[in-house]
Amino acid sequence: MGEGRLRYLVAEARCYWCGTAAGTLEGGWPLIPGTLMFRRSGEHQTLAPARPDSPTFRCGHCGGPLFVDDFDILMVRSEKLEEVDDRPRRGRPPKRPR
């Protein structure tokens, strides 16, 4: 794997009872216990509970249990956009009029 690239997991959490999308689970890949973040729809992210039967990992609409419906592992570049702007432009410089 190339240097400067990170793998990142983004998973959608849905309710078993009502089927609504309750939020997303996010974290670095491979997963490290205790680092997975749960972001409810429209709220700030919080640390996901270690146990899935925790009352914080329930549907905000009906209180039902959640499951992971769909997940993606994304490749993220670790360099900042400011560093990209500071680099010289690629290619031949434009001709100057005489």
Side-chain angles (χ1 to χ4, degrees):
M1 187 163 66
E3 195 172 319
R5 292 181 182 244
L6 303 171
R7 290 190 287 181
Y8 195 71
L9 170 82
V10 178
E12 183 177 0
R14 289 194 169 272
C15 177
Y16 269 117
W17 293 349
C18 65
T20 60
T24 59
L25 290 166
E26 303 172 2
W29 187 262
L31 295 177
I32 299 171
T35 61
L36 197 60
M37 300 300 286
F38 178 59
R39 183 183 309 215
R40 288 195 182 275
S41 301
E43 293 183 14
H44 296 292
Q45 64 186 17
T46 59
L47 194 61
R51 296 179 51 157
D53 59 348
S54 170
T56 59
F57 197 64
R58 299 291 236 175
C59 178
H61 181 70
C62 71
L66 302 178
F67 68 98
V68 174
D69 184 29
D70 187 24
F71 72 93
D72 291 320
I73 298 174
L74 307 172
M75 297 295 285
V76 180
R77 295 182 74 165
S78 65
E79 62 187 20
K80 297 178 184 174
L81 291 176
E82 295 86 29
E83 294 173 2
V84 173
D85 291 340
D86 293 341
R87 283 193 260 166
R89 290 179 48 188
R90 293 182 55 185
R92 184 176 179 172
K95 287 186 175 182
R96 296 191 179 149
R98 292 183 185 211

